[in-house]
């Protein structure tokens, strides 16, 4: 079986369950609510509708930060999607039939990579729209610039979609390396929602630590996108990486996990 045939089979497997649209709903609700709420806060404070405290709201350049929220807070969804693409097969033992149909295990993994990248693009488009539509509408209602007439803004939106595609590949690598679905998903949630945010926040206050945290996967993703609410809030050091360097670092994580997963867990017996 060729990679193209295996990829078509992979799409059939992924869209034959309800998981893909459940995760889509979670992504849209999470990102849209976060972006819309922050846009309302910034717009409301600037317009005097909400009481402001401390430093003035940086209304200039706030739109790209809100649009980039799709990747900043929503990247856990494509990461889980990629993880479930592999661990789901281990858990339900469907990988045995897959390997019997396609004995070359590298072909199966490549099919997951190709399908995962395409699925990641789809989730990226949905996440980008979920962040941009409500936040742009609210900013416009308050008379704040939406920056949708800027080429830089559209380039940022494209990089958000690219980041989502890479995150799915990272997830596939994690799933190939950690075969147990519960352990893999819990590990992903603990790292993305607790460990890395704490480390990045600490990097804003500990001298020299930001040089290390800039190479964490979430920080690299923010660098790729080119905007981060972490830096805006002052709770984390802003990454010094260029967008292309952030993309290379995030891609390196995907490659490392995929190679390690293939060299260890993927080549072992599955039943």
């Amino acid at each position: 079986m060729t990679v193209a045939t295996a990829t078509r089979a992979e799409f059939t497997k992924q869209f034959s369950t309800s998981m893909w649209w459940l995760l889509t709903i979670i992504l849209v609700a999470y990102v849209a609510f976060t972006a819309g709420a922050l846009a309302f806060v910034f717009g409301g404070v600037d317009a005097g509708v909400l009481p402001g405290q401390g430093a003035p709201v940086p209304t200039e350049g706030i739109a790209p930060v809100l649009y980039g929220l799709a990747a900043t807070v929503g990247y856990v969804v494509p990461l889980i999607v990629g993880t479930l693409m592999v661990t789901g097969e281990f858990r339900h033992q469907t990988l045995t039939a897959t390997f019997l149909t396609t004995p070359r295990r590298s072909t199966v993994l490549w099919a997951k990579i190709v399908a995962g990248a395409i699925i990641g693009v789809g989730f990226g488009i949905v996440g980008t729209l979920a962040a941009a539509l409500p936040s742009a509408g609210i900013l416009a209602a308050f008379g704040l610039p939406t920056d949708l007439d800027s080429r830089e803004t559209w380039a940022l939106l494209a990089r958000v979609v690219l980041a989502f595609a890479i995150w799915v590949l990272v997830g596939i690598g994690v799933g190939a390396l950690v075969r147990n679905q519960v352990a893999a998903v819990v590990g992903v949630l603990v790292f993305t929602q607790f460990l890395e945010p704490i480390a990045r926040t600490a990097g804003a206050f500990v001298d020299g630590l930001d040089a290390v945290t800039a190479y964490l996967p979430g920080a690299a993703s923010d660098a790729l996108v080119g905007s981060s609410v972490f830096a805006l809030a002052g709770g984390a050091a802003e990454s010094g990486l260029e967008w292309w360097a952030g993309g290379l670092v995030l891609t390196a994580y995907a490659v490392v996990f995929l190679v390690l997963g293939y060299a260890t867990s993927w080549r072992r017996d599955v039943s």
Side-chain angles (χ1 to χ4, degrees):
M1 182 180 292
T2 64
V3 172
T5 304
T7 301
R8 287 196 295 270
E10 193 63 38
F11 278 116
T12 301
K13 285 187 287 187
Q14 298 308 316
F15 291 104
S16 62
T17 68
S18 61
M19 185 58 65
W20 70 271
W21 62 262
L22 288 175
L23 289 173
T24 300
I25 292 174
I26 293 173
L27 174 66
V28 171
Y30 184 30
V31 170
F33 174 79
T34 304
L38 287 178
F40 180 79
V41 169
F42 292 132
V45 171
D46 181 74
V49 177
L50 299 175
Q53 296 180 358
V57 177
T59 53
E60 291 296 329
I62 190 62
V65 173
L66 295 175
Y67 303 156
L69 277 171
T72 303
V73 303
Y75 73 91
V76 66
V77 173
L79 181 56
I80 289 180
V81 167
T83 303
L84 293 179
M85 286 180 65
V86 181
T87 57
E89 294 224 57
F90 282 115
R91 180 180 181 181
H92 300 291
Q93 296 185 346
T94 56
L95 200 57
T96 301
T98 300
F99 285 159
L100 289 175
T101 305
T102 311
R104 293 179 62 88
R105 297 191 178 192
S106 60
T107 300
V108 177
L109 186 58
W110 273 112
K112 289 187 179 295
I113 291 172
V114 174
I118 297 173
I119 291 173
V121 169
F123 272 94
I125 294 174
V126 170
T128 301
L129 292 175
L133 292 180
S135 55
I138 293 173
L139 290 177
F142 281 108
L144 296 178
T146 62
D147 292 344
L148 290 177
D149 57 346
S150 170
R151 294 177 58 185
E152 288 75 12
T153 298
W154 289 98
L156 180 145
L157 297 178
R159 293 196 298 269
V160 170
V161 175
L162 175 61
F164 266 66
I166 300 175
W167 274 116
V168 174
L169 302 186
V170 174
I172 293 174
V174 171
L177 185 61
V178 184
R179 297 161 61 136
N180 185 280
Q181 188 174 78
V182 174
V185 172
V186 170
V188 163
L189 292 176
V190 168
F191 183 83
T192 59
Q193 306 304 303
F194 296 99
L195 296 183
E196 181 169 354
I198 291 173
R200 293 180 65 183
T201 301
F205 303 99
V206 179
D207 290 340
L209 184 58
D210 58 333
V212 177
T213 58
Y215 291 90
L216 292 175
S221 178
D222 285 346
L224 167 61
V225 172
S227 178
S228 172
V229 72
F230 280 103
L232 178 68
E238 187 174 1
S239 172
L241 299 178
E242 297 289 340
W243 72 266
W244 56 267
L248 289 178
V249 171
L250 188 60
T251 302
Y253 276 103
V255 171
V256 168
F257 280 123
L258 286 167
V259 171
L260 289 177
Y262 178 78
T264 57
S265 178
W266 194 252
R267 300 175 67 178
R268 299 206 315 259
D269 291 338
V270 295
S271 62

